[in-house]
Amino acid sequence: MSQETEEQYRSIFENAVEGIYQTTVDGRYLRVNPALARIYGYASPEDLISNLTDIEGQLYVDAGKREAFAALMRGQDVVQNFEARVYRRDGSVIWIVENARCVRDQAGAIRYYEGTVQDVTERKRNEEKIRLLATVFDSVADGTLIVTSGLRVQAANPAYENITGFGDEDILGRPLTLFAPGSHERGFIEDIWRTARDSGRWQGEITSLRRSGEPFAAALSVNSVRAPGGALEHYVLTLADISQRKYQEHQIRYQASFDRLTDLPNRWLVCERLEEAIARAQRSRTKVAVAFLDLNRFKQVNDTMGHHAGDELLKLVARRLRNCTRVTDTVGRLGGDEFLIVAPDAADRNAGARLAEKVLYSMSEPFGVFNQELFCGASIGLAFFPDDGDTADQLLRNADFAMYHAKRNPEQRCVFYDATMRESTSFTLGLESDLRRAIGSDEFVLHYQPKVDATDRRIVGAEALIRWVHPTRGLVSPAEFIPLAEETGLIWDIGAWTLREACRTLAAWDERKLPIGSVSVNLSPRQFQDPRLVSLVQTVVRETGIDPSRLELELTESAMIGDIEKAVGVLCALKDTGVRLSIDDFGTGYSSLAYLKRFPIDTLKIDRSFVRDIVQSATDPAIVGTIVNLANSLGFDTIAEGVETEAQLDVLLQQRCRRIQGFLISRPLDGRSFESFVREANVPA
Ligand code: C2E
Ligand code: MG
Ligand code: MG
């Protein structure tokens, strides 16, 4: 080798970036260049040679590496791209790649190895990372796509295929189709790419597409990938199928806002709509009408015909309410048999009244439930924004209040809220606890109202009407506490007391020779449905020793709806005890006319409402006439209640109704007054 070439080789040896070495076969360094010292972490080649004296033991991390290296050398004289992990001087581990060859003497024996070393730790790490990423790419549950800056698909993971059904063969190299056609505005989609490009990331929900063409809700995130120079290279898209979650969200939101039975907005949603209506009305200075509606006989339907019938009725009511209101009105169900109607932009209070009228009218028609025609009826309380409150809560409460008044006052089916109501109502609120106490403590009395035969004004009987003498409130009307007693179940004890008291009184009158035909006692529907009723009647009759045919039980038609067979059974059992039975308030309730002939009853008591208008009305006299004819043909007596004037009596007599009860003859009287009344009336002329 010439001097010059020798120099050149030396220069390469000294300045190369690769490590260069010559080693003995048994693993000692003969020569190394500065690069190798640097790679292995030694201060200089000399430092390396004097300290790294056992390649097999000191350098290679993995046992057997040196032997593998030597075996290759023995076999083929060269080692190519031999990868190994080695210890640097400080103990840290790096990856190297060696290329080496054998240098032999003329006899063919190995003189030394000569080779180069590259530090490939960085590359190895990247490879590791890529392998890891690839595993992630393949195994995550989210669909992942890599697309070019020109939006062509470069890679897709298995999850993407699982979610969408699109395989590599469908999409690789093709333009990205991510969005279900027609489901997004063009601006929305453009915004996604713009945002991802400009700020590196976009996240949101889209409607994506499955291979089947089915759209589905997806959570998408788009990340842009830029080359070190800043040029946009790729987008990485991850796509999660959230259609199930969306569906559940929808379900939950629906369930949270709508009543499952009737599909009407529930309390929450109807209040929300009310608040919106208030906000709008505030701006436009209009009114909002709020109608609180409660069904009159829902409880009876439920109790007598069962929950299925009750549910059915509620559905029919809901449908009817929707039909008789405007599309801009909201009809909601608050729960039970309570409904709320919100009418925004009510021009004035009259508009609210008209709405209520329409609703009441539609409620007055019978409902067909399980092959029966049911009259349900409703009571409505009306409140207005801004007159009666300026929050949804206040309006609801006040409309409820007004409804409560309508309920307690059967003459008025619709009541407008008015602030003075508060006073009278706080009165009834504490009533329940008082009522419980009253049962034990002698606060009830019976008053008696005479029933007369109008042709000769002879007293034929008396109706016992309960009065509550409240220690602080004075006389409380049965119209006020009987419904409450029914709701709370206290009616049983109250009713038993009434029955006993009336029979005891009758026995006492007999003893005093007071000529009184019969005494009638009112039974509420709840009592009628109580299985203890028949034996109670028997017991009381026996205890008081009265002739049972002189006791009359007054029942309303509503007690008999539902299971007609059962009602007939109870009526017959009652009849068997020897008492007389009459139907009270006849004509107001159910269409049980068809069954009337099956009921073993004695008297139909024509409701006060027919009598009230009988003089002015064109139709009421005819109705009364029809009832009387019907009753006669079935062998029933009739009696008209609530007769206040001679004019009414005249019409009744024309219609052949002879028996009457009412203020015209007498108001209900306490026991002693009644006794004097009878004695005076019977003083022979
Ligand atoms: P009802 O059985 O229809 O009783 C007749 C009601 O009409 C009584 O009201 C009576 O005072 C009233 N009345 C009688 N004549 C006239 C009249 O000429 N004009 C007007 N405007 N009203 C008249 P009261 O005593 O307030 O009873 C109301 C309802 O309470 C009764 O209606 C009855 O359903 C119920 N009730 C009364 N006492 C009892 C009872 O002991 N048990 C049960 N379960 N209910 C009772
Ligand atoms: Mg009665
Ligand atoms: Mg009556």
Side-chain angles (χ1 to χ4, degrees), residues 21 39 73 121 160 181 213 219 244 287 308 336 342 345 369 408-409 427 440 459 508 526 533 615 636 654:
Y21 63 81
I39 290 168
M73 282 301 189
T121 310
Y160 184 78
Q244 199 56 29
K287 287 188 195 295
H308 289 307
V342 175
D345 327 310
V369 175
R408 297 280 133 135
N409 183 358
F427 175 80
I459 297 172
R526 183 100 183 237
L533 180 64
V615 179
F636 307 152
Q654 277 164 32

Side-chain angles (χ1 to χ4, degrees), residues 41 44 59 71 311 348 358 372 504 559 596 633 647:
S44 62
L59 186 67
D311 286 355
D348 50 25
K358 225 162 58 179
Q372 275 200 53
R504 263 200 301 256
L596 214 50
S633 70

Side-chain angles (χ1 to χ4, degrees), residues 463 554 584-585 605 607-608 641:
E463 176 173 11
E554 295 192 4
D584 203 352
D585 304 341
K605 211 168 172 184
D607 190 64
R608 215 169 48 236
E641 65 178 1

Side-chain angles (χ1 to χ4, degrees), residues 71 75 123 265 283 294 366-367 373 523:
R123 196 194 81 208
R283 272 177 262 126
D294 184 288
F367 292 92
E373 293 214 309
L523 289 186

Side-chain angles (χ1 to χ4, degrees), residues 80 167 181 193 209 230 237 245-246 289 412 424 428 430 476 664 670:
Q80 277 170 333
W193 302 120
L209 187 69
L237 278 54
R245 195 186 86 205
K246 277 271 144 182
Q412 264 179 298
S424 65
T428 29
V476 184
L664 177 64
D670 63 65

